[in-house]
């Protein structure tokens, strides 16, 4: 090997200079192992990213009785909580989440929000400043032990501390009851939020989406202790698994959809509906409509004063949500999941048709198939999509948008917006409902993973699906933002400026890049499935994800986590220069002949320029010895020394080495500059003069000795006409103008607009995908 190297260096017409020396400045530890940047592994979480041999998590079972008052839009409930202390620790108090307080008149959310006056302000902005004085917070009527004694509690905004009558030892359980009520708010108003009601003026009916509706146990964990950071609207939830038995009393003509399995269908459904329900359970190819639009429209007019109680049971869920309205159409179909049947179902008002009857339940079924193939079989008995003009997820049930215009027509944007939000919210069953990460701390752990899965499910639904997030080049505009507008993905949910790009798009894109470019599908898919299965029904942290993806694939990804998850640098790799070399394999005779040709060319130039007499005169004036030398010396004749050196050199070469010397290879020495800072592989497309092309992939580790500039030589049989860096746009390079050799000019587009009738600030494209609140 050494000899070939020597040969190359000596034989090249120009020697390859040793390229840029490493300076202190350009070694920013992009390839150092993460070490203390990650939590230390322990008996609860291993260094491989799996749950440890002493892993534990708490459990909270609930029995709840709740009644909805449709006359004054309020709710009251009673619950019995059985809290199991599986931790090794003794607890003196428990923390409970009272999310409804976030919408109260004295909420801290509007106080924390910045505000300013602009010459043009939306009504929402104004209302956000003024806030409201409606009576919307929780009324906690009592917290009692099972023997009826009051338990001392302290409410701190959206958090309630329950002081235990005596310390709860490891392995013990504590049972208590909470009696509560609150007024439901109009979630279509400026207060917004995930749960609440929507009022339909035309038919005078309410549609309730009941979520975060009961006092919920906070998470106590090995990595955080109590997660009791208050709810201020954005950072979502951290919740404990448990079993639920819930009795929901609503007006008799309401339809209820809920987390869990309906226990008393014969008491709440009509005979016809029961029969259709039976039919739906055997329908694997298309949904069966159980309550039709005509039936729902008839009920809309009735307004029954009677009540009915719906009973649902759910096992191993971290939350429980439900919906109720007399507006609901209901359809369902069965989906095979690991030898079991799951019911995919939808509830929607007439406003959702014709889109909803055509797509919703089918998209639910598609989502389960797509996500399960990459993670685990969907373990719950039902998966429900509800049309509620928003987008929010809960175990087994989620609320989505997508309403056609009043005449039943709709744009592609509405249709694809609806399909995307259903895939997304149903997909949240996997992350974070089952792989139960802490959303209050890390939005990306569920939103990023879920958006990545959503992208794949969309592409499987339709090859040309207009996915908004996933492909690398779509994150470039965010990565191009000014650094003052960027935070690492590893940033608490409340502290993110550009929430959608940071918590959804960037991590989703990063995972897509890992799968397509860094690890390859086979290694990535295995490792991602391993993570999903290790942490199914458990509480993972970012470390568990980072470690598992490396542990199960054998790929060192520390540089990738550092760059993509802990940093804000963008990718901008510049192809700075290309030098073309050929090996010198001429015989001494050929070399001299070439030199003579070059000399003669020069000679004819010289004789035209200078007076030949002058040169002759110089020779004549020299001493006789010099004159003889001039007359006899022929610099272009091959000397015996030349012959010997060449012969000896050739004798040292093996046949293989001779072949290499005579291969006629072209050497392209390319220089790359890391302008953006984020190290990435070099993906290089060589376009040859014969019209063919070829792609070489150089791992990101080429940057490990010099993080700012590298040189790489490529040996090619064919001659290269042009070179493109990152030809498939898979690295999120924010400046592609420096990716070409030779450099090419590509025009940037600028938009032209003309105001209509003097109106100012007309926004272009009222896209519901942009407008709707996606959670
Ligand atoms: Zn989401």
């Amino acid at each position: 090997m050494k000899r070939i190297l020597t040969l190359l260096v000596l034989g090249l017409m120009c020697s390859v200079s040793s390229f840029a020396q490493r300076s202190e400045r350009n070694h920013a530890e992009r390839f150092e192992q993460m070490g203390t940047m990650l939590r230390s592994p322990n008996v609860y979480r291993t260094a491989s990213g799996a749950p440890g041999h002493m892993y534990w998590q708490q459990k909270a079972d609930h029995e709840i009785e709740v009644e909805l008052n449709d006359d004054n839009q309020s709710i009251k409930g009673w619950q019995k909580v059985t809290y199991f202390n599986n931790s090794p620790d003794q607890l003196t108090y428990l923390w409970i989440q009272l999310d409804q307080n976030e919408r109260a008149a004295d909420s801290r959310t509007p106080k924390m929000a910045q505000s300013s006056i602009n010459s043009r302000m939306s009504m929402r902005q104004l209302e956000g400043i003024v806030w409201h004085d409606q009576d919307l917070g929780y009324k906690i009527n009592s917290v009692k032990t099972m023997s009826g004694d009051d338990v001392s509690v302290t409410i701190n905004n959206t958090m309630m501390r329950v002081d235990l009558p005596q310390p709860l030892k490891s392995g013990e359980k504590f049972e208590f009851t909470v009696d509560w009520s609150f007024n439901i708010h109009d979630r279509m108003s400026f207060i917004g939020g995930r749960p609440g009601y929507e009022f339909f003026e035309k038919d005078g009916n309410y549609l309730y989406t009941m979520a975060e509706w009961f006092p919920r146990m906070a998470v106590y964990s090995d990595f955080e202790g109590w997660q009791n950071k208050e709810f201020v609207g954005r950072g979502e939830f951290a919740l404990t698994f448990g079993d639920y038995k819930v009795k929901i009393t609503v007006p008799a003509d309401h339809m209820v959809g809920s987390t869990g399995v309906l226990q008393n269908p014969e008491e709440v459904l009509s005979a016809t509906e029961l029969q259709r329900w039976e039919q739906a359970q055997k329908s694997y190819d298309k949904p069966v409509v159980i309550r039709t639009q005509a039936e729902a429209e008839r009920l809309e007019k009735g307004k029954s004063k009677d009540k009915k109680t719906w009973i649902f049971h759910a096992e191993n869920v971290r939350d429980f949500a439900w919906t109720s309205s007399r507006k609901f159409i209901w359809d369902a179909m069965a989906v095979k999941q690991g030898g079991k049947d799951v019911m995919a179902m939808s509830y929607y008002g007439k406003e959702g048709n014709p889109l909803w009857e055509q797509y919703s339940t089918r998209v639910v079924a598609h989502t389960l198939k797509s996500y399960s193939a990459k993670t685990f079989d969907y373990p719950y008995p039902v998966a429900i999509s509800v049309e509620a003009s928003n987008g929010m997820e809960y175990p087994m049930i989620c609320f989505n948008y997508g309403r056609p215009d009043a005449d039943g027509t709709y744009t592609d944007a509405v249709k694809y917006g609806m399909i995307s939000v259903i895939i997304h919210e149903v997909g949240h069953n996997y992350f974070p409902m089952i792989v139960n990460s802490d959303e209050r701390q890390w939005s990306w752990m569920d939103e990023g993973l879920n958006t990545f899965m959503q992208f794949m499910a969309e592409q499987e639904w339709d090859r040309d699906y207009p996915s908004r997030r996933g492909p690398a080049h779509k994150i470039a505009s965010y990565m191009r933002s000014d650094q003052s507008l960027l935070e690492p993905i590893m940033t608490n949910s409340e502290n993110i400026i550009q929430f959608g790009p940071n918590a959804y798009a960037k991590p989703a894109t990063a995972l897509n890049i890992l799968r397509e470019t860094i690890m390859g599908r086979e290694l990535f898919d295995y490792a991602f499935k391993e993570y999903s299965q290790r942490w199914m029904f458990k509480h993972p942290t970012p470390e568990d994800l980072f470690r598992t993806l490396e542990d199960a694939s054998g790929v060192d990804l520390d540089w990738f986590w550092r760059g993509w998850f802990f940093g804000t640098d963008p990718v901008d790799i510049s192809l700075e220069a290309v030098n073309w070399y050929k090996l010198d394999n001429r015989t001494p005779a050929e070399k001299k002949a070439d030199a003579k040709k070059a000399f003669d060319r020069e000679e004819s130039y010289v004789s035209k320029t200078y007076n030949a007499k002058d040169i002759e005169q110089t020779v004549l004036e020299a001493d006789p010895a010099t004159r003889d030398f001039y007359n006899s010396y022929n610099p272009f004749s091959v000397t015996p020394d030349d012959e010997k050196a060449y012969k000896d050199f050739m004798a040292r070469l093996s046949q293989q080495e001779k072949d290499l010397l005579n291969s006629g290879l072209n050497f392209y020495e390319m220089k790359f500059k890391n302008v953006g800072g984020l190290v990435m592989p070099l993906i290089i497309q060589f376009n040859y003069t014969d019209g063919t092309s070829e792609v070489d992939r150089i791992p990101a580790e080429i940057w490990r000795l010099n993080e700012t500039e590298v040189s790489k030589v490529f040996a090619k049989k064919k001659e290269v006409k042009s070179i493109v860096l990152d030809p498939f746009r898979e690295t999120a390079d924010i400046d592609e103008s420096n990716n070409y050799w030779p450099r090419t000019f590509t025009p940037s587009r600028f938009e032209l607009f003309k105001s209509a009738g003097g109106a100012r600030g007309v926004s272009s494209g009222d896209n519901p995908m942009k407008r709707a609140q996606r959670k």
Side-chain angles (χ1 to χ4, degrees):
M1 201 60 218
K2 206 180 213 167
R3 229 172 32 195
I4 297 207
L5 279 175
T6 315
L7 168 95
L8 278 173
V9 174
L10 290 175
L12 285 172
M13 284 183 177
C14 294
S15 69
V16 183
S17 65
S18 67
F19 192 61
Q21 297 208 331
R22 193 171 92 186
S23 73
E24 285 300 312
R25 209 177 135 264
N26 71 37
H27 201 73
E29 302 189 331
R30 290 187 171 88
F31 289 94
E32 289 308 300
Q33 294 296 294
M34 295 181 77
T36 53
M37 287 173 81
L38 302 182
R39 287 169 203 274
S40 300
N42 52 43
V43 292
Y44 311 120
R45 282 153 212 278
T46 70
S48 70
H53 71 279
M54 290 178 77
Y55 178 84
W56 56 268
Q57 65 190 23
Q58 307 295 65
K59 183 172 190 255
D61 291 343
H62 290 74
E63 284 171 42
I64 308 179
E65 290 172 18
V66 60
E67 184 169 345
L68 173 72
N69 186 332
D70 190 36
D71 295 329
N72 64 7
Q73 295 78 53
S74 68
I75 188 173
K76 61 176 184 179
W78 171 92
Q79 69 196 48
K80 177 190 156 193
V81 182
T82 307
Y83 188 79
F84 296 89
N85 180 14
N86 297 325
S87 81
D89 313 325
Q90 180 167 290
L91 303 175
T92 50
Y93 46 77
L94 310 178
W95 281 99
I96 291 182
Q97 312 185 59
L98 304 178
D99 305 285
Q100 186 61 23
N101 286 354
E102 192 261 339
R103 290 172 278 275
D106 63 352
S107 167
R108 272 163 44 90
T109 298
K111 295 170 190 160
M112 288 180 184
Q114 293 190 44
S115 51
S116 54
I117 299 290
N118 302 312
S119 57
R120 270 175 73 83
M121 292 186 74
S122 70
M123 190 55 79
R124 292 241 154 167
Q125 286 175 307
L126 191 64
E127 287 167 329
I129 292 170
V130 178
W131 201 233
H132 70 82
D133 54 8
Q134 300 171 54
D135 180 15
L136 291 181
Y138 263 118
K139 290 179 184 64
I140 301 294
N141 303 319
S142 73
V143 180
K144 288 181 187 296
T145 64
M146 295 317 290
S147 49
D149 297 331
D150 281 334
V151 178
S152 157
V153 298
T154 301
I155 294 175
N156 176 12
N157 301 297
T158 68
M159 289 287 166
M160 177 167 76
R161 195 187 64 230
V162 175
D163 296 333
L164 294 165
Q166 60 251 352
L168 183 62
K169 292 197 186 101
S170 174
E172 287 183 352
K173 66 179 179 185
F174 177 63
E175 293 178 313
F176 62 103
T177 64
V178 188
D179 193 305
W180 51 266
S181 63
F182 64 83
N183 295 318
I184 302 167
H185 79 288
D186 177 2
R187 65 173 160 75
M188 306 304 281
S189 77
F190 75 96
I191 302 167
R194 298 159 184 81
Y197 69 75
E198 178 178 0
F199 178 62
F200 292 78
E201 228 172 306
K202 278 190 184 151
D203 54 62
N205 280 289
Y206 291 84
L207 188 159
Y208 299 91
T209 47
M210 300 313 302
E212 305 143 49
W213 54 282
F214 63 99
R216 302 184 295 177
M217 291 306 307
V219 170
Y220 182 76
S221 69
D222 60 284
F223 57 90
E224 183 73 40
W226 285 104
Q227 172 49 289
N228 53 8
K229 187 173 168 63
E230 71 173 304
F231 178 51
V232 290
R234 186 196 267 168
E236 289 186 331
F237 312 108
L239 296 156
T240 304
F241 285 113
D243 301 335
Y244 285 73
K245 293 179 178 176
V246 181
K247 292 179 179 168
I248 303 168
T249 301
V250 295
D253 49 1
H254 270 215
M255 169 67 71
V256 177
S258 172
T259 301
V261 174
L262 179 61
Q263 302 294 305
N264 59 339
E266 61 295 333
E267 285 172 31
V268 291
L269 302 179
S270 72
T272 319
E273 285 167 349
L274 263 177
Q275 190 212 329
R276 291 172 185 158
W277 171 235
E278 296 292 328
Q279 219 183 308
Q281 289 170 319
K282 291 177 211 101
S283 178
Y284 296 93
D285 58 338
K286 60 176 187 297
V288 171
V289 181
I290 299 161
R291 181 171 287 178
T292 67
Q293 181 164 337
E295 288 160 357
E297 285 188 46
R298 214 164 33 245
L299 288 166
E300 277 183 351
K301 297 178 184 115
K303 318 268 194 300
S304 169
K305 289 293 156 197
D306 295 337
K307 291 174 185 174
K308 269 184 187 173
T309 298
W310 299 60
I311 304 170
F312 292 90
H313 287 183
E315 281 170 23
N316 215 4
V317 285
R318 60 168 237 167
D319 201 356
F320 192 104
W322 53 282
T323 186
S324 183
S325 181
R326 56 175 72 83
K327 293 179 66 65
F328 280 138
I329 302 158
W330 175 28
D331 69 42
M333 67 184 275
V335 188
K336 283 254 176 267
Q337 283 287 296
K340 284 194 296 187
D341 283 349
V342 175
M343 292 307 292
M345 315 202 276
S346 298
Y347 297 85
Y348 44 97
K350 60 181 187 292
E351 292 77 11
N353 271 339
L355 262 182
W356 275 67
E357 62 188 11
Q358 197 181 343
Y359 290 111
S360 177
T361 296
R362 286 183 173 91
V363 175
V364 174
H366 168 76
T367 305
L368 297 183
K369 287 174 192 160
S370 173
Y371 276 60
S372 292
K374 298 167 188 72
T375 53
F376 42 74
D377 291 329
Y378 183 73
Y380 292 136
V382 303
I384 299 168
S385 162
V386 181
E387 201 291 304
S389 199
N390 63 0
M392 186 57 204
E393 70 278 6
Y394 299 93
M396 306 186 215
I397 188 169
C398 57
F399 306 127
N400 305 308
Y401 60 78
R403 284 181 197 165
D405 291 337
D407 65 0
T409 62
Y410 51 85
T411 60
D412 262 8
V414 171
K415 178 185 135 182
Y416 285 116
M418 168 200 173
I419 294 172
S420 286
V421 75
I422 294 174
I423 291 173
H424 183 94
E425 309 307 348
V426 171
H428 269 308
N429 273 296
Y430 298 79
F431 309 97
M433 298 305 150
I434 295 165
V435 179
N436 189 356
S437 57
D438 178 351
E439 298 178 277
R440 185 64 46 86
Q441 175 60 32
W442 307 117
S443 289
W444 70 267
M445 275 200 83
D446 66 300
E447 299 300 356
L449 270 61
N450 185 37
T451 302
F452 163 66
M453 298 285 289
Q454 175 196 341
F455 168 63
M456 291 189 287
E458 287 172 350
Q459 295 302 312
E460 290 163 11
W461 175 264
D462 178 350
R463 246 187 87 91
D464 299 317
Y465 197 97
S467 295
R468 281 199 310 154
R469 290 164 169 167
H473 66 92
K474 295 205 169 188
I475 198 66
S477 65
Y478 167 68
M479 305 279 276
R480 210 179 285 128
S481 305
D482 188 90
Q483 286 289 325
S484 67
L485 299 173
L486 294 172
E487 311 85 7
I489 292 173
M490 288 291 288
T491 298
N492 178 270
S493 310
E494 303 300 337
N495 308 340
I496 298 167
I497 301 171
Q498 302 185 68
F499 192 65
N502 178 294
Y504 292 66
K506 189 179 171 187
T509 308
L511 291 169
N512 196 39
I513 290 172
L514 277 183
R515 183 171 191 253
E516 302 292 349
T517 304
I518 311 291
M519 299 167 76
R521 290 185 180 181
E522 197 185 341
L523 289 174
F524 178 88
D525 290 351
Y526 180 88
F528 191 78
K529 194 177 236 181
E530 180 71 13
Y531 167 74
S532 309
Q533 296 188 355
R534 281 180 175 182
W535 293 97
M536 182 182 186
F537 293 122
K538 293 191 171 72
H539 300 269
T541 64
E543 286 84 354
D544 300 318
L545 174 68
F546 299 148
R547 286 171 173 150
T548 297
L549 290 187
E550 295 190 17
D551 191 66
S553 70
V555 182
D556 178 1
L557 297 170
D558 282 28
W559 65 271
F560 190 87
W561 309 133
R562 275 180 182 271
W564 280 88
F565 287 75
F566 289 79
T568 58
D569 280 350
V571 179
D572 179 13
I573 299 173
S574 169
L575 172 51
E576 291 283 290
V578 180
N579 296 316
W580 180 22
Y581 300 100
K582 296 204 74 134
L583 264 176
D584 192 348
N585 64 347
R586 293 171 297 173
T587 61
E590 287 166 338
K591 263 188 204 174
K592 294 279 161 109
D594 285 349
K596 171 99 175 46
K597 261 185 235 160
F599 178 82
D600 289 348
R601 269 201 306 275
E602 228 168 272
E603 183 78 339
S604 68
Y605 171 77
V606 170
S607 59
K608 270 178 211 154
T609 317
Y610 299 93
N611 188 339
K613 284 253 163 64
D614 293 347
I615 300 171
E616 242 168 69
Q617 190 60 34
T618 312
V619 176
L620 284 172
E621 281 167 11
D623 65 85
T626 309
R627 213 162 46 230
D628 286 352
F629 176 78
Y630 266 112
N631 290 337
S632 67
Y633 176 67
N634 178 0
F636 306 115
S637 66
V638 177
T639 66
D641 279 356
D642 292 341
E643 287 286 10
K644 187 175 184 305
Y646 180 70
K647 248 178 119 179
D648 288 353
F649 170 63
M650 290 306 280
R652 282 200 299 274
L653 298 187
S654 68
Q655 188 54 44
Q656 207 183 350
E657 288 164 341
K658 279 179 191 151
D659 291 347
L660 181 60
L661 181 66
N662 295 317
S663 61
L665 283 172
N666 298 287
F667 294 90
Y668 295 97
E669 183 205 45
M670 300 170 61
K671 304 203 171 181
F672 301 92
K673 202 167 191 171
N674 179 6
V675 181
L678 184 42
V679 286
M680 283 295 272
L682 302 172
I683 302 153
I684 306 155
Q685 180 176 298
F686 295 91
N687 299 316
Y688 298 114
T689 48
D690 68 357
T692 60
S693 61
E694 184 185 11
V695 173
D696 279 15
R697 289 173 176 270
I698 304 301
E701 283 85 348
I702 190 165
W703 298 101
R704 70 204 190 285
L705 298 185
N706 186 326
E707 295 168 1
T708 52
E709 43 188 11
V710 293
S711 167
K712 183 84 181 165
V713 179
F714 296 83
K716 299 293 179 190
K717 283 207 177 77
K718 297 180 182 179
E719 278 183 23
V720 170
K721 191 175 153 215
S722 64
I723 296 170
V724 185
L725 185 60
D726 193 17
F728 312 114
R729 314 185 79 195
E730 54 189 301
T731 66
D733 195 318
I734 63 164
D735 179 6
E736 293 175 301
S737 71
N738 56 20
N739 289 13
Y740 297 90
W741 179 84
R743 284 279 195 270
T744 54
F745 281 117
T746 48
S748 303
R749 291 184 190 280
F750 63 96
E751 245 176 283
L752 193 64
F753 73 93
K754 186 179 175 183
S755 303
R760 282 188 302 144
V762 178
S763 74
S764 62
D766 188 17
N767 180 353
M769 288 164 78
K770 254 188 204 163
R771 193 180 58 215
Q773 206 174 8
R774 177 90 64 96
K775 300 290 166 56

